[in-house]
């Protein structure tokens, strides 16, 4: 497999559930990102990891908890979410953190919170 | 504050040319990206401009004017498969990407 793979592609959960999103990249990149994409809104950067270390947390509520066990895998743990958290969650990777190189995105996990 | 503006939606005809504009206001500047995103798919990289001028890649070209805080993406010989959203993003002085909300391009036969 190549590129960035996200699972599940679709997730429906209640506000009291706990679930996790998974991202895997097969590109040998060192940086990985979680973005939130809502309709007609700009991409919102949530978390950044570089060499497994979290370098950014853009004031994301604690009900979102990231985990990066190694440079190839990234998780987003979800608990007690709100309906406004319904969105497409995109994972991306890049060679480094200088942001002059392109980001490689996964196809996203479409989350619906009931 | 930092901001990116691009049209919400545009419509064009198959075989024609379309120009998607993007204006940006950032604290410092380290380049301008364009990404294409088909419905239900991952955004994919189209271009990166850091110097003024036009860069051409086949049917797609991207232009940058740093003094005007302005970029455009030019698509020629439009095909139905070009129907997608086009995302503009500027890199600021801290190399943070500031994203626009995207332009949905509809191609009609």
């Amino acid at each position: 497999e190549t590129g960035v793979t996200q699972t599940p592609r679709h997730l429906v959960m209640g506000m009291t559930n706990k679930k996790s999103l998974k991202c895997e990249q097969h590109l040998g990149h060192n940086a990985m990102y979680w973005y939130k994409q809502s309709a007609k809104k700009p991409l919102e950067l949530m978390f950044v990891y570089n060499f497994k270390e979290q370098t950014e947390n853009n004031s994301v509520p604690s009900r979102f908890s990231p985990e990066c066990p190694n440079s190839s895998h990234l998780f987003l743990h979800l608990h007690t979410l709100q309906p406004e958290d319904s969105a497409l969650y995109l994972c991306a990777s890049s060679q480094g953190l200088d942001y002059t190189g392109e980001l490689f995105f996964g196809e996203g996990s479409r989350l619906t919170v009931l | 504050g930092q901001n990116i503006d691009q049209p919400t939606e545009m419509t064009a005809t198959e075989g024609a040319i379309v120009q998607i504009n993007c204006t940006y206001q950032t604290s410092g500047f380290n380049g301008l990206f364009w990404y294409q995103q088909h419905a239900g798919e991952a955004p994919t990289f189209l271009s990166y401009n850091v110097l003024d001028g036009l860069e051409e890649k086949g049917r797609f070209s991207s232009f940058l004017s740093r003094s005007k805080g302005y970029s455009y993406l030019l698509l020629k010989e439009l095909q139905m498969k070009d129907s997608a959203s086009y995302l503009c993003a500027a890199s600021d002085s801290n190399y943070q990407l500031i994203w626009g909300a995207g332009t949905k391009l509809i191609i009609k036969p």
Side-chain angles (χ1 to χ4, degrees):
Chain A
E1 244 186 287
T2 59
V4 181
T5 305
Q6 289 186 243
T7 55
R9 292 293 310 279
H10 300 273
L11 179 62
V12 179
M13 59 187 290
M15 290 191 285
T16 58
N17 291 159
K18 289 185 180 181
K19 297 285 184 183
S20 296
L21 306 181
K22 179 183 176 182
C23 176
E24 186 174 359
Q25 58 99 357
H26 306 272
L27 300 167
H29 288 165
N30 299 314
M32 295 187 76
Y33 312 76
W34 279 116
Y35 277 94
K36 178 182 179 182
Q37 187 174 38
S38 303
K40 300 185 180 181
K41 289 186 177 180
L43 286 177
E44 296 176 46
L45 180 64
M46 300 176 72
F47 301 104
V48 182
Y49 279 83
N50 190 38
F51 290 99
K52 304 188 301 176
E53 299 298 319
Q54 187 178 125
T55 59
E56 281 192 53
N57 174 344
N58 278 6
S59 303
V60 180
S62 59
R63 58 186 183 269
F64 294 92
S65 175
E67 179 190 359
C68 187
N70 54 60
S71 293
S72 299
H73 293 86
L74 187 63
F75 295 88
L76 188 62
H77 304 299
L78 317 169
H79 60 98
T80 59
L81 293 190
Q82 304 297 311
E84 60 264 29
D85 297 322
S86 297
L88 182 68
Y89 289 84
L90 290 166
C91 174
S93 71
S94 64
Q95 185 61 49
L97 271 187
D98 65 3
Y99 287 103
T100 59
E102 67 178 280
L103 291 173
F104 291 79
F105 286 89
E107 293 190 324
S109 293
R110 172 73 60 187
L111 174 65
T112 302
V113 181
L114 301 177
Chain B
Q2 308 199 96
N3 190 52
I4 299 273
D5 282 317
Q6 55 180 130
T8 302
E9 187 173 300
M10 299 182 70
T11 301
T13 305
E14 190 177 14
I17 299 173
V18 71
Q19 178 175 311
I20 303 174
N21 296 325
C22 170
T23 57
Y24 63 89
Q25 291 178 304
T26 55
S27 302
F29 180 74
N30 279 301
L32 194 293
F33 293 84
W34 285 96
Y35 283 80
Q36 179 191 59
Q37 185 177 23
H38 286 101
E41 296 185 13
T44 55
F45 171 83
L46 288 177
S47 66
Y48 171 68
N49 295 63
V50 66
L51 300 176
D52 286 353
L54 183 70
E55 293 206 4
E56 299 185 62
K57 276 187 186 180
R59 295 189 299 115
F60 290 15
S61 302
S62 56
F63 171 84
L64 177 67
S65 168
R66 293 177 65 134
S67 62
K68 295 182 179 178
Y70 168 68
S71 173
Y72 67 72
L73 183 68
L74 189 71
L75 291 73
K76 303 176 183 176
E77 301 169 16
L78 285 170
Q79 301 176 10
M80 297 303 293
K81 67 179 182 179
D82 297 329
S83 292
S85 287
Y86 292 85
L87 312 179
C88 173
S91 177
D92 70 9
S93 58
N94 294 319
Y95 294 96
Q96 302 294 310
L97 282 179
I98 313 302
W99 293 86
T103 299
K104 182 178 181 180
L105 178 63
I106 300 168
I107 309 298
K108 295 185 174 179

